Amino acid sequence: MDGTRGVAQCAIPPGQSMTYKYTIRNQWGTYWWHAHTATQYVDGILGPLIVHSPDEPHLGEYDEDIIMMLQDYYHTESGPLVTWFLSPASKGNEPVPDNGLINGRNSFNCSRDAQALFPTGNKCTNGAPLATFKFKTGLTYRIRLINTGAFADFQFSIDDHMLTVIEADGVDMQPVAVQRLPIHVAQRYSFLVQANQTVGNYYVRATMNTNCFDVPNPALDPLVKAVIHYEGAPVTQSFNSSDWTVSGMAPECLDLALDMLHPYDAQPAPTADVSYQISFIFKTGSNGINLAYINGISWSPLMTDATLYQAQKGITRFDTTQHVVVLNNTNVVEIVLINHDDGSHPFHLHGHTFSVLGWGKGKYIRGTTPLELTNPLRRDTITVPEKGWTVVRFMNDNPGLWTFHCHIEWHVQAGMLMQFESLPEQIKKFQIPSEITAMCGAK
Ligand SMILES: [Cu+2]
């Protein structure tokens, strides 16, 4: 019940519903749920999903939980945007957001809409209030930051407050303090923040890395704000808290340096039984449409079937466009991602966390480029640098059809997705409720 259209199920038909049931095993942390059909999540079908456990190592270190969902925001619905993106008119440039939101809020100067890349007829309200989070002096907060956006990565900070990172994508980390944290689409971080400053109001800042966009959008103010309000501070719209002056360790369009994040539960990198090189690139066809190719294949979803259902029936050869790599009894899988594109891409693997052995710009040379093997970062979404590489390994221990894709939604629509079929013999034993497979024929 992974929810991926054309992979783990068919889309839920209009007016129907589906209840997802699954078992949590030895897993906790910060996740999010979202529609995995077309670009629906960009229009708002998403939310946080937090798994708590008494076994969490950092449980005693904070007093309260705060969720912050951070996203880029378009003043035009995603349907027309993706139609434009996949037409010659875009010249392969992604739609650039008009604004950004924290927990669904930001303040926008509506006059900027006049300069937007995409004219919008939507209603705009000037000077809407910012999201406000309450602090009590002396308490420690665990902030769970989730990038639920379509395209933009952000640099995140809170004025005068350090962020002690303790979790990345559901994996507990050894604490590391930063002033600023980069976060790409679909990534999650938890960090501890101490309410140890003078009682007052402080800005939360998330700045979009506009250098990662192909073209500018004059309507966009890349700085997204929210407010930390200490109990006892005056309630006011205008206050002066200042941004960190040192830019810190956050490079643009890239993740936090690998040597900063070490899993709390230390595990050496598993030895790979098999290694796949996965190269990706954008190419413009003779029709002028720019598509994404992974090892030469541009994915598009099955509309009335799911590769999981095919696998369950014992089918072993899938349609080429589905780009399924079959993993029989392989134990540990290594993927060497090679990015031929001049933009960075946050790759996400369903059904697993992977170990990140290394990433960098330029060429990866097997056996020569150094990799982290002692206690590599583990997470489920990693940014592959522009014209660069990333090496990950995962355990093939979860039967199913699992997508591996760039989480920039425009890139998924352009075909930047592939699938791993884990443990086919076990999939054949799956009992799939008929009311769920019945959705495939429904209109
Ligand atoms: Cu991408």
Side-chain angles (χ1 to χ4, degrees):
M1 294 211 174
D2 191 40
T4 41
R5 181 224 205 144
V7 178
Q9 66 169 90
C10 291
I12 304 169
Q16 293 194 27
S17 68
M18 173 168 169
T19 303
Y20 292 84
K21 294 180 190 169
Y22 47 97
T23 309
I24 304 279
R25 277 196 201 90
N26 203 26
Q27 183 183 21
W28 54 79
T30 308
Y31 300 86
W32 58 301
W33 63 266
H34 54 275
H36 223 289
T37 295
T39 53
Q40 291 176 349
Y41 93 71
V42 180
D43 297 324
I45 309 185
L46 60 87
L49 178 62
I50 312 298
V51 183
H52 298 282
S53 165
D55 298 330
E56 293 184 60
H58 297 297
L59 206 52
E61 297 166 18
Y62 54 94
D63 301 292
E64 282 178 31
D65 255 65
I66 291 175
I67 296 169
M68 290 192 192
M69 290 188 291
L70 170 65
Q71 64 176 112
D72 51 17
Y73 183 53
Y74 294 82
H75 290 169
T76 310
E77 283 188 359
S78 65
L81 295 181
V82 79
T83 303
W84 172 83
F85 178 51
L86 298 178
S87 80
S90 73
K91 300 189 170 67
N93 297 323
E94 296 87 353
V96 176
D98 301 303
N99 197 3
L101 306 173
I102 293 176
N103 284 5
R105 289 177 180 271
N106 195 10
S107 188
F108 191 75
N109 175 348
C110 297
S111 68
R112 300 180 77 106
D113 255 347
Q115 307 161 62
L117 276 184
F118 301 92
T120 167
N122 292 345
K123 201 173 113 201
C124 179
T125 306
N126 272 307
L130 301 177
T132 300
F133 302 92
K134 291 188 176 134
F135 269 25
K136 256 188 200 167
T137 301
L139 296 192
T140 300
Y141 296 87
R142 174 183 186 158
I143 296 181
R144 300 171 182 269
L145 181 67
I146 310 171
N147 185 339
T148 59
F151 183 30
D153 71 311
F154 292 86
Q155 308 273 353
F156 180 94
S157 64
I158 302 176
D159 291 356
D160 299 319
H161 293 76
M162 292 291 284
L163 319 173
T164 302
V165 178
I166 56 163
E167 180 215 345
D169 301 351
V171 180
D172 297 306
M173 295 293 142
Q174 294 173 16
V176 58
V178 297
Q179 293 170 341
R180 233 183 272 282
L181 189 59
I183 185 165
H184 216 317
V185 174
Q187 293 184 322
R188 293 89 63 204
Y189 285 106
S190 282
F191 39 81
L192 303 181
V193 179
Q194 286 180 295
N196 59 4
Q197 297 298 306
T198 310
V199 168
N201 296 293
Y202 297 84
Y203 279 125
V204 173
R205 297 173 197 263
T207 309
M208 279 182 219
N209 289 329
T210 51
N211 292 343
C212 317
F213 302 152
D214 285 342
V215 289
N217 180 355
L220 172 67
D221 174 359
L223 174 61
V224 184
K225 287 195 283 198
V227 177
I228 298 286
H229 172 79
Y230 274 67
E231 195 180 82
V235 177
T236 169
Q237 291 291 327
S238 62
F239 51 89
N240 294 314
S241 73
S242 47
D243 195 6
W244 291 99
T245 47
V246 183
S247 66
M249 318 82 166
E252 290 208 323
C253 324
L254 296 174
D255 287 343
L256 208 57
L258 257 193
D259 61 6
M260 293 192 68
L261 291 172
H262 304 287
Y264 184 90
D265 170 24
Q267 288 177 23
T271 306
D273 298 298
V274 63
S275 181
Y276 294 98
Q277 181 167 312
I278 307 287
S279 303
F280 54 91
I281 194 165
F282 277 92
K283 267 190 231 160
T284 306
S286 53
N287 55 4
I289 297 171
N290 197 50
L291 292 178
Y293 293 84
I294 299 180
N295 286 357
I297 300 172
S298 187
W299 174 82
S300 58
L302 298 174
M303 301 307 272
T304 55
D305 204 352
T307 47
L308 177 69
Y309 301 167
Q310 296 176 337
Q312 194 260 350
K313 288 178 202 138
I315 290 173
T316 51
R317 300 186 71 164
F318 300 88
D319 192 277
T320 318
T321 59
Q322 295 311 297
H323 200 168
V324 178
V325 171
V326 180
L327 304 169
N328 286 305
N329 297 314
T330 313
N331 200 14
V332 178
V333 181
E334 177 181 89
I335 306 169
V336 179
L337 284 147
I338 306 288
N339 181 2
H340 293 289
D341 185 50
D342 55 10
S344 62
H345 298 265
F347 264 76
H348 170 57
L349 177 62
H350 285 230
H352 306 79
T353 56
F354 44 61
S355 302
V356 185
L357 278 59
W359 53 259
K361 291 192 180 180
K363 264 202 164 63
Y364 169 73
I365 304 166
R366 183 185 301 278
T368 303
T369 308
L371 297 174
E372 164 62 33
L373 300 169
T374 349
N375 180 24
L377 169 63
R378 299 192 303 275
R379 66 183 317 168
D380 61 34
T381 309
I382 187 76
T383 304
V384 188
E386 58 179 276
K387 300 278 183 191
W389 57 274
T390 297
V391 176
V392 302
R393 287 182 193 165
F394 66 90
M395 304 288 291
N396 179 35
D397 58 359
N398 193 3
L401 262 293
W402 305 112
T403 61
F404 185 47
H405 63 94
C406 173
H407 217 292
I408 291 176
E409 189 52 35
W410 314 123
H411 296 174
V412 173
Q413 299 308 314
M416 199 178 271
L417 183 149
M418 61 174 292
Q419 309 177 35
F420 289 103
E421 184 193 10
S422 285
L423 308 169
E425 288 309 311
Q426 291 191 44
I427 296 172
K428 283 192 219 163
K429 296 177 201 150
F430 283 5
Q431 305 215 339
I432 303 171
S434 58
E435 64 268 27
I436 293 178
T437 53
M439 295 193 305
C440 290
K443 284 262 161 31

